[in-house]
Amino acid sequence: MITLRINGLDVSVEKGTTLLEAARFLGFAIPTLCHMDGLSPYGACRLCVVEIGEAPKAKLVSSCTYPAEEGLKVRTTSSRVLRARRMILELLLASCPQSKTIQDLASKHGIRRQRFKQEYEDCILCGLCVRMCEEQMMAKAIGFRNRGENREIGTPFDVKSDVCRLCGGCMYICPVCQLRCTYNEPEKAICGGCMNLSPPCIEKEPFDDMMCYMDPCVACEIQNNK
Amino acid sequence: MKQEAFASSSDRVEVCEDVDVTNILRILEKHNEDRGGLIAILEEIQGEYGYLPEEALRIVSDRSRRSLVDVYGVATFYRSFSLKPRGKHLVCACLGTACHVRGAPRIVEELKHQLGIKPGETTPDKEFTLETVNCLGACALGPVVVIDGHYFSKVRTSRIGQLLDEARKGFDSAEIGKDKRIFPISVSCPHCNRSLMDETLPIDGYPSIKVNITHDHEEGWLRLSCLYGSHNIAAELDIPGNTVVKIHCPHCGLEILCTSDCSMCRAPMVPMLVHGGGVVKICSRRGCKNHMLDLV
Ligand code: SF4
Ligand code: SF4
Ligand code: SF4
Ligand code: FES
Ligand code: FES
């Protein structure tokens, strides 16, 4: 067991526990965006920053990837943490102002202005969809490609993937696009899941078998309007 | 309706230009481990085809238990890999910080203007591909331009035209004599020690190295350039690329062969004695450019 101190409270956790898990165990809320139980930590959004160590050597780390250390002092809401978190949110909001998830987080953290140019990106590269596809769906249909400012998510060679299960998990989990079924606009699909529809759900009964996250779904609406 | 817009991936493989499956498998086998080594494999495929054909990547992922997403991710991550066929000559301009402040943007503009293409594109005649990189580690010499593996330092816009002309002609022919890495050697048979040099048919302006080869039960002569570093040859027989030939001494008739294999393609190496001491070994596979020189 490892004992560390979070916001002045001592807590003992198993080796390998992350700071985020330890803090949540004690009931300290830390906002996250790219973290999800059941998926491996990735540390992409930095929203979960916390401050560790003592001044003047204190530093900011992402709590979802930082393993607990013996005797570590962690502060989850110091002014430095809050400042950094607000800046991160402001930047995220500037890149994807249309995202409901990010809007909600920003408003919760008291962001009332936008100092940066709004970009209307459709992805913050949080990697949730990639991990969902690989770790929960065992499909590995989509992944990161290119690098730097060209980094993006997609299928290899931009064609419908042979291994995609059309589960919609990637779209369900995405904090930005919150795409529903892209049946009528397949070129916007990330995974291309709906590109080869004839929607399976339309043809097969009962619909429940489809293991589908999509709600509402355009295909279903078409079906209902018939 | 909608479906037709998206060729399924298997259709696309068929329209892909000829990628020899056995060739890719040979490369994979050479690096026969499960993970790791992916970059080396891709490098070798690119060396063979000049780019990474889609089908080749699909074969790699299929046969080496890597997911296509991972292979594709690596292939698109590194600038040195290209998924599109490149031109005959690769022009690479550095746009790193140091080169940038030393005027690289003007160099790139000039290259774009003279070639009529943007970075990342290939001229319609398939002669030149223009690319930019961010630092080649030669900052003090900036702006740096690399053409076909030859580095040019402190490049000025006025020099670009001349460089492109030289590239068109081929640096190898332009630089023989100037380049210290390319020099003539004289060799003899390791069995009978008689000279293999032949003045009747010079290559690169120097006497050539004459040996006999057998390939497919046919015999004929093969003349190699004696310039170390030049790969020019003349041959009586038409040898297809990627075949391993047997090489005999034209004097004593014995096969010239040594125990070591080519470090690049595993074909047997052919040793020859260098006048003045030393051994030069060349790979017996047509198209493999591996050679080594040990001087004593
Ligand atoms: S819909 Fe396809 S790409 Fe998306 S998570 Fe499911 S299997 Fe992966
Ligand atoms: S598509 Fe969505 S889930 Fe996937 S990396 Fe981008 S923002 Fe994250
Ligand atoms: S509801 Fe039907 S059409 Fe929509 S994503 Fe799910 S399977 Fe596809
Ligand atoms: S939740 Fe920790 S970096 Fe995104
Ligand atoms: S910036 Fe061009 S070589 Fe470093």
Side-chain angles (χ1 to χ4, degrees):
Chain A
M1 294 297 258
I2 293 174
T3 308
L4 68 164
R5 174 171 288 202
I6 303 180
N7 294 349
L9 283 182
D10 284 333
V11 61
S12 292
V13 292
E14 300 263 350
K15 193 161 180 270
T17 313
T18 63
L19 297 186
L20 178 69
E21 285 160 345
R24 287 195 168 163
F25 176 73
L26 286 180
F28 294 118
I30 297 178
T32 57
L33 193 54
C34 71
H35 174 270
M36 177 149 299
D37 290 333
L39 300 181
S40 53
Y42 188 60
C45 72
R46 316 313 284 180
L47 197 58
C48 63
V49 280
V50 294
E51 195 176 8
I52 57 168
E54 315 254 14
K57 277 191 171 170
K59 56 177 183 177
L60 295 176
V61 296
S62 59
S63 62
C64 68
T65 52
Y66 203 93
E69 284 168 10
E70 185 62 43
L72 193 68
K73 295 213 170 58
V74 183
R75 285 170 301 284
T76 67
T77 46
S78 65
S79 61
R80 188 174 168 201
V81 167
L82 292 180
R83 231 183 310 131
R85 208 173 272 163
R86 272 202 295 271
M87 175 57 98
I88 291 163
L89 272 169
E90 212 175 316
L91 288 165
L92 284 171
L93 193 61
S95 52
C96 297
Q98 75 282 18
S99 156
K100 183 78 169 67
T101 313
I102 295 176
Q103 285 170 9
D104 286 351
L105 277 166
S107 107
K108 210 162 121 195
H109 287 82
I111 289 163
R112 300 283 175 264
R113 60 188 170 154
Q114 253 297 18
R115 287 174 292 176
F116 306 107
K117 188 168 151 261
Q118 307 206 338
E119 301 280 3
Y120 298 98
E121 305 277 355
D122 49 15
C123 177
I124 55 168
L125 298 174
C126 68
L128 275 175
C129 53
V130 176
R131 281 173 286 150
M132 177 75 159
C133 187
E134 172 175 358
E135 295 169 16
Q136 291 296 332
M137 295 306 161
M138 312 294 166
K140 276 206 146 192
I142 50 175
F144 285 102
R145 52 200 198 175
N146 300 327
R147 97 175 132 164
E149 56 171 357
N150 297 323
R151 195 160 162 87
E152 58 181 13
I153 304 281
T155 56
F157 305 105
D158 267 329
V159 291
K160 187 185 92 46
S161 167
D162 295 337
V163 288
C164 170
R165 302 170 184 278
L166 314 181
C167 66
C170 51
M171 297 182 236
Y172 165 79
I173 206 174
C174 176
V176 172
C177 52
Q178 284 156 345
L179 270 181
R180 299 310 183 208
C181 169
T182 47
Y183 171 45
N184 60 347
E185 275 182 294
E187 60 284 358
K188 288 208 186 134
I190 295 176
C191 68
C194 288
M195 284 181 187
N196 71 346
L197 299 177
S198 316
C201 43
I202 283 191
E203 277 157 18
K204 284 193 193 139
E205 297 287 341
F207 170 68
D208 289 348
D209 290 350
M210 291 317 300
M211 227 178 98
C212 180
Y213 282 106
M214 294 303 158
D215 178 33
C217 160
V218 177
C220 304
E221 279 164 20
I222 296 174
Q223 167 86 325
N224 292 342
N225 291 340
K226 265 196 195 152
Chain B
M1 15 123 256
K2 279 281 182 323
Q3 290 102 303
E4 282 149 32
F6 303 95
S8 93
S9 44
S10 45
D11 297 347
R12 303 229 330 178
V13 171
E14 278 160 37
V15 297
C16 211
E17 63 310 301
D18 289 349
V19 173
D20 189 356
V21 182
T22 50
N23 213 353
I24 307 283
L25 291 185
R26 175 176 58 79
I27 294 175
L28 275 174
E29 200 153 301
K30 227 170 80 187
H31 303 265
N32 65 13
E33 67 244 77
D34 280 349
R35 293 263 155 181
L38 177 58
I39 292 182
I41 293 172
L42 296 184
E43 264 178 347
E44 203 157 316
I45 295 175
Q46 172 145 318
E48 195 118 329
Y49 296 94
Y51 74 110
L52 297 173
E54 173 171 342
E55 186 174 2
L57 296 188
R58 287 187 186 275
I59 297 170
V60 169
S61 110
D62 242 30
R63 301 299 173 103
S64 63
R65 290 191 281 130
R66 291 178 180 89
S67 74
L68 187 58
V69 160
D70 291 344
V71 176
Y72 187 75
V74 170
T76 54
F77 185 85
Y78 293 100
R79 272 290 177 88
S80 61
F81 292 132
S82 168
L83 292 170
K84 283 185 288 183
R86 293 205 252 208
K88 226 155 74 195
H89 307 288
L90 179 62
V91 182
C92 206
C94 179
L95 268 182
T97 314
C99 290
H100 200 281
V101 297
R102 286 163 180 260
R106 281 205 303 281
I107 303 289
V108 175
E109 278 312 310
E110 184 65 21
L111 284 167
K112 272 160 69 177
H113 176 69
Q114 295 215 5
L115 295 172
I117 49 174
K118 291 208 255 327
E121 294 178 348
T122 302
T123 51
D125 59 2
K126 301 267 182 294
E127 280 290 311
F128 287 99
T129 296
L130 177 58
E131 275 175 12
T132 60
V133 284
N134 299 323
C135 195
L136 294 155
C139 307
L141 301 174
V144 178
V145 173
V146 186
I147 307 182
D148 293 342
H150 298 257
Y151 284 66
F152 299 95
S153 56
K154 303 197 174 154
V155 177
R156 288 165 198 278
T157 43
S158 54
R159 213 173 128 203
I160 301 261
Q162 177 211 339
L163 286 181
L164 293 180
D165 278 346
E166 274 179 42
R168 249 181 224 111
K169 285 194 214 113
F171 287 112
D172 289 338
S173 58
E175 286 198 7
I176 286 173
K178 265 196 283 167
D179 191 331
K180 289 210 180 57
R181 289 167 305 178
I182 299 185
F183 50 89
I185 50 175
S186 316
V187 296
S188 52
C189 167
H191 299 299
C192 64
N193 208 3
R194 269 176 282 191
S195 173
L196 297 172
M197 305 312 292
D198 176 28
E199 293 184 3
T200 55
L201 202 151
I203 297 182
D204 290 335
Y206 288 90
S208 56
I209 301 170
K210 183 182 173 210
V211 288
N212 286 342
I213 54 168
T214 41
H215 164 64
D216 236 8
H217 308 298
E218 278 186 87
E219 272 189 44
W221 52 257
L222 171 73
R223 284 178 168 87
L224 311 158
S225 170
C226 73
L227 292 181
Y228 188 75
S230 163
H231 302 288
N232 294 332
I233 59 164
E236 195 176 8
L237 302 176
D238 197 18
I239 324 161
N242 206 13
T243 37
V244 178
V245 292
K246 285 199 164 68
I247 297 193
H248 301 270
C249 169
H251 307 295
C252 62
L254 291 176
E255 182 174 359
I256 310 179
L257 194 69
C258 70
T259 43
S260 59
D261 282 346
C262 171
S263 59
M264 281 158 71
C265 72
R266 301 269 159 252
M269 296 291 278
V270 177
M272 289 176 281
L273 301 180
V274 180
H275 295 175
V279 183
V280 62
K281 291 179 186 164
I282 60 167
C283 177
S284 60
R285 187 188 298 275
R286 174 89 170 90
C288 175
K289 299 204 164 142
N290 196 15
H291 53 252
M292 293 184 281
L293 179 61
D294 294 319
L295 292 177
V296 249

